[in-house]
Amino acid sequence: MSSQTMTVVGGGLVGAAIAYGALRAGMRVRVLDQGDTAFRASRGNFGLVWVSSKGGKMPRYASWSRDALKLWPNLQKELVDLTDVDAGLEQPGGFWLGFDDADVRARADLLERIDREVGGIPFKMMDPSELRQYLPGIGPAVVGGSFCPLDGHANPLMLLRGLHAALRHRGADVITGVDIAEIRHDPANGSFEAVSQDRQSWKSDRIVLAAGLGNAGLAAQVGLHAPIASTRGQVLITERLKPFLDYPTNKCRQTREGSVQIGSTSEDVGLDDGTTTDKIEILARRAVETFPALARARLVRAWGALRPLTPDGYPIYQESASCPGAFLATSHSGVTLAAAHCYVVGPWMAGLSQVPAGFEVFTGDRFLDADASFSHDH
Ligand SMILES: Cc1cc2nc3c(=O)[nH]c(=O)nc-3n(C[C@H](O)[C@H](O)[C@H](O)COP(=O)(O)OP(=O)(O)OC[C@H]3O[C@@H](n4cnc5c(N)ncnc54)[C@H](O)[C@@H]3O)c2cc1C
C-alpha cells in the first residue's frame, strides 16, 4: 500500500471507478460525494456498453471505447467475486435501427470510416429481412440497421452499487453528504485540501475531480479547464414483459428483469431534470414504431437525468500543469468506459502507472482555442 493518499471528488460512475482502480493498484483512497441531493447521471442513464459509432471525430476515443469493452468482463467478474454484486453485463452485440434510408447510408459510411481508421470495431449492415432473424418483432418503419458484435449493456445502478461496495470492502474512506466548494493547493509540499461548503476539509497528496457537472466550478481552482454543460435525457420504463429482445438497440433494450427501457432524449434545458409529456410521447411512439408489440405494454415510469457533456462530447482526462497531482476526469460514457476508468485511468491518476498513450487529445485545453467550434452527437 502506498503511503500517499488520493482524494476523489465525486462518487458517481466515473469517480467510483477511478477510485476503485487506484485503490486496487495500491493507493490510499478517499471519496467525497454530495450524495442524494446531487444531479447524478450515473443513476439515470440507459445502461449501454457501446462502441459502435463512437469516436467519429476522434479516433483515439473510438479505440479507447473498444479497449474498454474488452476490459469489462474482468470488472464484472471482479465485482461479483469481491462483493456479490452483479453489474449485469451482457455483450451479445447490439443493433442500431434506422427509419430513414439516408440515415442508414450515413451510418454505413461512418462505421466503415471508423473501422478503417481505428480497426477492430467490426460491424454488419442489415436490411429488414436480415434484421428480423435477430429481432423478430421489428416493425415496417425500420428500413435498415447495423450490428456490432462488441456492443452490450449492463445494469448501471448495480454497477454503481458494486463499485461502492468494492471501495468499502478494500478499505476506502467513502464520505457522502459533503459538497466540496474549494480545492486548495500547497505548492511547497505539493499537497491538496478539499474544503466543503460547511468548512470541513480533507488533505491528500493527489486529487481527482470527477464530480460530473460539479467539475465545471472546481477545475479552474487547480488550473484545469472544464467547460461542462448539462444535456437532459428522458427515459421510459415499461412493465415487465416476457423476454422478446435478445439484443440491446439504440432505441430500447430489455433488462434482465423483463422491463423495457426506452430512451433517450437529448435536450438543452439547463439544470432541469424533470420529464415532459411531449418527449414521453415521442419516445413511446418511436419505440412502438420499432417494436409494434410494445403498443400493448404499460409504461410504469419515466425520468429525466442530466448528462455532463463537454462541447465536443468527448472526455477530459488531464493532469494540471500548474498543480501537479490534480487531475480532471469527465466522460459522458461512464457505463461503457467503467472498466477502463478502473484499470487504466485509476492507476495513472494515482501515480502508479504512466499516462496512457495518446491521452494528449483528451485534455480540456482543446476548448481554449477561441476560433474553434464544436458540436457533439447528443
Ligand atoms: C439519459 C442518459 C442516458 C445515458 N446513457 C448512457 C449509456 O447508455 N451508456 C453510457 O456509458 N453512459 C450513458 N450516459 C452517461 C453516463 O450516465 C455518464 O457518463 C456518467 O454517469 C457520468 O458519471 P460521473 O460520475 O462523471 O457523473 P455523475 O453520475 O453526475 O456523478 C457526479 C457525482 O459527483 C458528485 N458531486 C458533484 N459535485 C460535487 C461536489 N461539489 N462535491 C462533492 N461531490 C460532488 C455528485 O454527488 C455525483 O455523485 C447516459 C446519461 C444519461 C443522462
Side-chain angles (χ1 to χ4, degrees):
M1 178 69 78
S2 168
S3 59
Q4 292 221 322
T5 53
M6 176 167 124
T7 295
V8 179
V9 181
L13 283 174
V14 172
I18 290 172
Y20 177 61
L23 184 68
R24 70 190 290 290
M27 194 70 172
R28 290 178 198 276
V29 171
R30 172 193 302 123
V31 178
L32 302 174
D33 189 62
Q34 264 176 356
D36 287 335
T37 55
F39 293 113
R40 286 161 138 181
S42 301
R43 296 176 65 103
N45 68 68
F46 199 57
L48 294 180
V49 178
W50 209 256
V51 60
S52 186
S53 85
K54 295 274 180 80
K57 295 180 197 150
M58 189 188 270
R60 181 66 183 98
Y61 185 61
S63 61
W64 177 234
S65 303
R66 176 199 64 200
D67 296 346
L69 262 54
K70 291 184 192 150
L71 295 171
W72 235 110
N74 201 48
L75 179 62
Q76 161 78 21
K77 181 174 180 325
E78 187 168 331
L79 293 180
V80 170
D81 290 349
L82 197 65
T83 69
D84 243 3
V85 178
D86 182 349
L89 176 70
E90 291 175 12
Q91 291 176 297
F95 284 88
W96 172 92
L97 301 171
F99 290 160
D100 181 279
D101 288 326
D103 287 349
V104 174
R105 276 196 302 277
R107 176 86 181 175
D109 290 346
L110 174 66
L111 298 187
E112 204 278 320
R113 180 169 60 76
I114 293 173
D115 192 39
R116 185 167 14 94
E117 285 173 359
V118 178
I121 308 179
F123 71 97
K124 186 172 185 328
M125 298 306 297
M126 296 188 192
D127 63 22
S129 66
E130 257 179 306
L131 286 171
R132 268 190 203 95
Q133 292 170 26
Y134 300 88
L135 305 168
I138 57 167
V142 177
V143 297
S146 63
F147 174 73
C148 174
L150 306 179
D151 289 336
H153 54 157
N155 181 327
L157 295 178
M158 296 307 273
L159 171 62
L160 188 61
R161 187 166 158 185
L163 287 169
H164 275 261
L167 279 165
R168 291 201 161 91
H169 185 89
R170 286 193 188 247
D173 194 9
V174 181
I175 302 168
T176 55
V178 288
D179 182 358
I180 299 304
E182 200 183 329
I183 310 291
R184 295 181 187 148
H185 177 225
D186 179 352
N189 61 18
S191 67
F192 296 91
E193 191 174 3
V195 184
S196 64
Q197 291 283 3
D198 60 1
R199 310 318 288 169
Q200 297 180 77
S201 74
W202 295 267
K203 287 193 173 156
S204 57
D205 304 291
R206 289 176 169 256
I207 194 154
V208 176
L209 304 181
L213 290 168
N215 277 340
L218 297 172
Q221 300 182 33
V222 285
L224 290 160
H225 185 53
I228 298 166
S230 60
T231 299
R232 180 171 70 188
Q234 296 189 46
V235 176
L236 315 181
I237 301 288
T238 71
E239 63 184 320
R240 292 183 182 194
L241 303 172
K242 283 197 186 131
F244 76 98
L245 188 51
D246 294 336
Y247 302 87
T249 78
N250 58 324
K251 296 193 167 60
C252 49
R253 68 182 189 93
Q254 189 165 26
T255 66
R256 259 189 206 174
E257 295 74 27
S259 56
V260 175
Q261 190 161 337
I262 299 165
S264 49
T265 60
S266 187
E267 307 160 69
D268 292 326
V269 291
L271 295 180
D272 177 356
D273 63 354
T275 56
T276 58
T277 44
D278 60 331
K279 299 294 181 194
I280 289 175
E281 189 185 339
I282 290 169
L283 287 174
R285 186 178 304 129
R286 202 177 69 157
V288 169
E289 281 171 5
T290 311
F291 294 102
L294 285 177
R296 294 189 295 278
R298 269 182 308 167
L299 288 177
V300 295
R301 210 146 63 92
W303 69 72
L306 302 180
R307 299 179 181 89
L309 268 181
T310 60
D312 62 7
Y314 294 120
I316 300 174
Y317 307 113
Q318 183 176 2
E319 179 171 14
S320 169
S322 57
C323 306
F327 293 80
L328 180 70
T330 187
S331 156
H332 85 283
S333 289
V335 185
T336 296
L337 299 172
H341 289 157
C342 172
Y343 297 126
V344 182
V345 177
W348 162 49
M349 292 188 173
L352 301 170
S353 67
Q354 295 297 312
V355 54
F359 255 40
E360 59 284 352
V361 298
F362 293 135
T363 66
D365 299 354
R366 67 188 185 272
F367 303 116
L368 289 170
D369 179 354
D371 295 328
S373 64
F374 300 96
S375 67
H376 54 72
D377 295 338
H378 278 285

